[in-house]
Amino acid sequence: MGLTDRILLAHGSGGRQSQDLLQQLIIPLFKDILLTPLDDSACLSLPAGQTAFTTDSYVVDPLFFPGGDIGRLAACGTINDLVMQGGKPLFLSLGLIIEEGLPTTDLQRILESLAAVLQDNEVRLATGDTKVVQRGQANGLYINTAGIGRCLPGVDTSSSNARPGDEVIVTGTIGDHGVAVLSHRQGVRFETELTSDVAPLWALLKPVFEHHPAALHVLRDPTRGGVAAAVCDIARASNVGVVLNERSLPIRAEVRGACSLFGLDPLDVANEGKALVVCNPKETPTLLEALRSHPLGQQAAVIGSVVAESPGLVRLRTRAGGERLVDLPAGELLPRIC
Amino acid sequence: MGLTDRILLAHGSGGRQSQDLLQQLIIPLFKDILLTPLDDSACLSLPAGQTAFTTDSYVVDPLFFPGGDIGRLAACGTINDLVMQGGKPLFLSLGLIIEEGLPTTDLQRILESLAAVLQDNEVRLATGDTKVVQRGQANGLYINTAGIGRCLPGVDTSSSNARPGDEVIVTGTIGDHGVAVLSHRQGVRFETELTSDVAPLWALLKPVFEHHPAALHVLRDPTRGGVAAAVCDIARASNVGVVLNERSLPIRAEVRGACSLFGLDPLDVANEGKALVVCNPKETPTLLEALRSHPLGQQAAVIGSVVAESPGLVRLRTRAGGERLVDLPAGELLPRIC
């Protein structure tokens, strides 16, 4: 029996329609990267050494946005969390919470996006689960992915590793994801389309892990809460001060424009394809060169430095020559951004 | 600053209120079993050998039901998926999707339940994530847990292992969870309260894994879709027939009554603290004795046998002396049961 045009409650029942969804849509999409026919659980042969483990749920609204969709976001987000831990991504789990009535073609497009990212990064789908909730109880689709990776020996990226003298690199322009999703949601259009930066960072950072592991002190992806939240975390965890230079922040003109329109600080806005690298300053030129040689790192720039003064605090040297504190964003300016 | 009485969108922002929720509620609750201060990802030292990996989302309605809540359900469900794989549960991830407005005390009670199960089973919380969605978009709370365990050497519980001559054991009464949740939701009361069987099965099955691994051919927990769906899966995966005896099915009188009231077949109803064991018939008495010596297995009973005839089909010998086919449940009789 063919699948219905829209997802029904019965597709989450554990009975016949659950089997149909699995056999007719999910398994064919993932057939090249599926560990075993999606069973309740999987048995993995992991390489020796430490194992990285992470989870994230994705509730972005809308499900499709310029530059990506919730499927690409879920794959990239969890891969990037493993990469930030200094891990090579190996396996993903996939938990779907679908709202009854979701067009089956939407689900298919979303899972195709997710599968493509896994395939490109040689990550296998290990296990999954599908629940369907009644209309009005999930806003389309929520996705949870958990990831397993191999911690690369000699790589230690903990937020507590920053030392005075270190420099802070961002691998590209900031604020693109949050502003793209928000603009799309609000129906705001710009002359050039703003697109999300959602991308998997394994290929960008693999050469750094392989060739410059000791240069790397801290690695973080500035997702929810943006660069501000990530740098504040680093400052507190390492008990150091951080000084950011506003002039050095790579920000696309459209993002800058949209941020003033919406009253947002680009430092607070989520990124989904960027990393913050705190590094040994002697190695900064080498790292910048390595990062810029990859398409995802062409705009990599030094945006600040680590200092001994004011431990736990982050300061911004403004364009105007002044200085202000950067704090954890408070409240929720951008709900459902990832 | 103290937490607000209800969860706000800001608690999922990645900013200051996210930190408050983590520091003031989540970390204190899990402090004894937390691997590291809940970071975006964790680095685990896993024992040598194969690794079991599983995920499930929980969307049960209501969040609190007789005998448990969504927190206990999430911990037990994922632990049990690992156990069914022949795995010793080691680590859990916790993904929360909270509806804005959920009473903070409800969240606390739910996480206390979850933590208690982990603690009792020596499972550690490795990593987590919290999202908050707007009112009307999650019906309170959804939980995703992914689990990592160690595959026990010499234990192979695959659904494709059933052989003609094997016997089918269920570790206790069937239908308790689904009927308890449904009755509570519908406001139906019985003379004695019907409670869910939600329980972690590691302690029940550990002695079987240790002392009788070879006797065990297949292990499945009959959750969504009930015993019917699990046995149908086994019959198809092993390409064997299964004959169940209606007279032998352990069913509480209240569950039987509620099933006739609701027009349900107890075979189709979800269980959350039961296992189906397909075993070598020579070892049945030994296994029954081992199972019955644990409080969760006192009602363990042989409910059927595996035959060569009618491969892929499950038949039920009825009380009346007839026979009928048991099929995968179709449609969705019990939405949001787990």
Side-chain angles (χ1 to χ4, degrees):
Chain A
M1 196 181 71
L3 285 178
T4 48
D5 289 347
R6 291 179 180 269
I7 299 297
L8 311 174
L9 278 177
H11 288 118
S13 64
R16 193 178 307 172
Q17 287 81 2
S18 292
Q19 281 297 324
D20 289 345
L21 184 67
L22 201 58
Q23 297 296 336
Q24 293 177 39
L25 193 146
I26 298 179
I27 291 181
L29 273 177
F30 289 94
K31 65 181 189 309
D32 294 331
I33 49 172
L34 210 57
L35 194 67
T36 46
L38 272 187
D39 213 336
D40 276 352
S41 77
C43 218
L44 317 176
S45 293
L46 295 181
Q50 298 269 102
T51 300
F53 183 34
T54 187
T55 191
D56 256 315
S57 303
Y58 301 88
V59 300
V60 67
D61 173 33
L63 300 179
F64 299 90
F65 49 82
D69 58 46
I70 190 173
R72 181 169 168 83
L73 185 66
C76 294
T78 294
I79 284 176
N80 290 348
D81 275 350
L82 293 170
V83 172
M84 294 307 118
Q85 177 82 15
K88 172 175 166 47
L90 297 174
F91 298 103
L92 225 73
S93 69
L94 175 62
L96 301 172
I97 299 178
I98 308 174
E99 183 185 6
E100 176 190 16
L102 180 74
T104 307
T105 49
D106 282 3
L107 181 62
Q108 173 146 8
R109 279 174 61 201
I110 287 165
L111 294 180
E112 277 168 359
S113 290
L114 191 146
V117 175
L118 299 195
Q119 191 127 27
D120 287 348
N121 288 273
E122 299 178 343
V123 173
R124 302 186 76 177
L125 185 65
T127 180
D129 173 59
T130 302
K131 296 287 190 300
V132 182
V133 297
Q134 294 97 326
R135 272 175 206 273
Q137 305 193 334
N139 206 19
L141 174 67
Y142 300 146
I143 297 182
N144 177 285
T145 43
I148 286 182
R150 174 176 170 251
C151 296
L152 298 170
V155 177
D156 179 0
T157 62
S158 163
S159 292
S160 60
N161 288 344
R163 306 165 209 167
D166 283 357
E167 291 191 300
V168 182
I169 296 171
V170 68
T171 58
T173 54
I174 69 173
D176 299 5
H177 176 74
V179 165
V181 173
L182 186 64
S183 304
H184 188 66
R185 199 152 73 192
Q186 305 287 345
V188 177
R189 295 187 187 282
F190 300 90
E191 286 186 27
T192 52
E193 194 184 41
L194 257 172
T195 56
S196 165
D197 61 342
V198 56
L201 295 172
W202 169 243
L204 172 68
L205 288 160
K206 180 172 178 261
V208 176
F209 293 144
E210 283 176 353
H211 304 301
H212 317 285
L216 204 64
H217 292 171
V218 178
L219 199 54
R220 283 291 298 265
D221 56 343
T223 56
R224 269 186 301 176
V227 169
V231 177
C232 285
D233 273 0
I234 294 170
R236 275 188 309 190
S238 297
N239 200 32
V240 294
V242 176
V243 179
L244 299 177
N245 296 305
E246 192 173 25
R247 260 180 215 287
S248 317
L249 297 173
I251 306 178
R252 294 169 62 188
E254 304 92 308
V255 169
R256 200 183 291 281
C259 279
S260 18
L261 185 67
F262 295 128
L264 294 172
D265 184 337
L267 282 173
D268 293 346
V269 178
N271 309 276
E272 293 291 342
K274 299 291 156 35
L276 287 169
V277 182
V278 178
C279 67
N280 180 337
K282 290 180 194 157
E283 307 273 2
T284 305
T286 318
L287 286 186
L288 278 179
E289 197 190 323
L291 292 168
R292 287 177 180 158
S293 70
H294 189 278
L296 290 177
Q298 279 169 6
Q299 312 282 321
V302 176
I303 60 167
S305 55
V306 179
V307 296
E309 302 80 58
S310 313
L313 295 184
V314 179
R315 289 169 290 161
L316 181 76
R317 288 216 181 103
T318 63
R319 278 171 188 280
E323 197 177 274
R324 69 165 174 88
L325 277 182
V326 175
D327 206 349
L328 273 183
E332 176 57 301
L333 299 165
L334 295 173
R336 310 278 304 278
I337 216 70
C338 62
Chain B
M1 197 183 68
L3 286 178
T4 47
D5 288 347
R6 290 178 181 271
I7 299 297
L8 310 174
L9 278 178
H11 288 118
S13 64
R16 193 177 307 172
Q17 287 80 3
S18 292
Q19 281 296 325
D20 290 344
L21 184 68
L22 200 58
Q23 297 296 337
Q24 294 178 38
L25 194 146
I26 297 180
I27 291 180
L29 273 177
F30 289 94
K31 66 181 189 308
D32 295 332
I33 50 171
L34 210 57
L35 193 67
T36 46
L38 273 187
D39 213 337
D40 276 352
S41 77
C43 217
L44 317 176
S45 294
L46 295 180
Q50 298 269 103
T51 300
F53 183 33
T54 187
T55 191
D56 257 313
S57 303
Y58 301 87
V59 299
V60 66
D61 173 31
L63 300 179
F64 299 90
F65 49 80
D69 58 45
I70 190 173
R72 181 170 169 83
L73 185 66
C76 294
T78 295
I79 285 176
N80 291 348
D81 275 350
L82 292 170
V83 172
M84 294 307 118
Q85 178 81 14
K88 172 174 167 47
L90 296 174
F91 297 103
L92 225 72
S93 69
L94 175 62
L96 301 173
I97 299 178
I98 308 176
E99 183 184 7
E100 177 190 16
L102 180 73
T104 307
T105 49
D106 282 3
L107 181 62
Q108 173 145 10
R109 280 173 61 200
I110 287 164
L111 294 180
E112 278 168 358
S113 291
L114 191 146
V117 174
L118 299 194
Q119 191 126 26
D120 287 348
N121 288 272
E122 299 178 344
V123 174
R124 302 188 75 177
L125 185 65
T127 181
D129 173 59
T130 302
K131 295 287 190 301
V132 182
V133 297
Q134 295 96 325
R135 273 175 206 273
Q137 304 192 337
N139 208 19
L141 174 67
Y142 301 145
I143 297 181
N144 177 284
T145 43
I148 286 183
R150 173 176 171 251
C151 296
L152 298 170
V155 177
D156 179 0
T157 62
S158 162
S159 293
S160 60
N161 289 344
R163 305 164 210 168
D166 283 356
E167 291 190 300
V168 182
I169 296 173
V170 67
T171 59
T173 54
I174 69 172
D176 299 5
H177 176 73
V179 165
V181 173
L182 185 64
S183 304
H184 188 64
R185 198 151 76 191
Q186 306 287 344
V188 177
R189 294 187 187 283
F190 299 91
E191 285 188 28
T192 52
E193 194 185 40
L194 258 173
T195 56
S196 164
D197 60 343
V198 57
L201 295 173
W202 170 243
L204 172 68
L205 288 160
K206 181 172 177 261
V208 176
F209 293 144
E210 283 176 354
H211 304 302
H212 316 285
L216 205 64
H217 292 171
V218 179
L219 200 54
R220 282 291 298 265
D221 55 342
T223 56
R224 269 186 301 177
V227 168
V231 177
C232 285
D233 274 359
I234 295 170
R236 275 188 309 191
S238 298
N239 200 32
V240 294
V242 176
V243 179
L244 299 177
N245 295 306
E246 192 173 26
R247 259 180 215 287
S248 316
L249 297 172
I251 306 178
R252 292 169 62 188
E254 305 92 310
V255 170
R256 199 183 292 282
C259 280
S260 12
L261 185 66
F262 295 127
L264 294 172
D265 184 338
L267 282 173
D268 292 347
V269 178
N271 309 275
E272 292 291 344
K274 299 290 156 36
L276 287 169
V277 182
V278 178
C279 68
N280 179 336
K282 289 180 194 157
E283 306 274 1
T284 306
T286 318
L287 286 185
L288 278 179
E289 197 188 324
L291 292 168
R292 287 177 181 159
S293 70
H294 189 279
L296 291 176
Q298 279 169 8
Q299 312 283 320
V302 176
I303 61 168
S305 54
V306 178
V307 296
E309 301 81 56
S310 314
L313 296 185
V314 178
R315 289 170 288 161
L316 181 76
R317 288 219 180 101
T318 63
R319 277 171 190 280
E323 197 175 272
R324 69 167 174 88
L325 277 183
V326 174
D327 206 349
L328 274 182
E332 175 57 300
L333 299 165
L334 293 174
R336 309 279 304 277
I337 216 69
C338 62

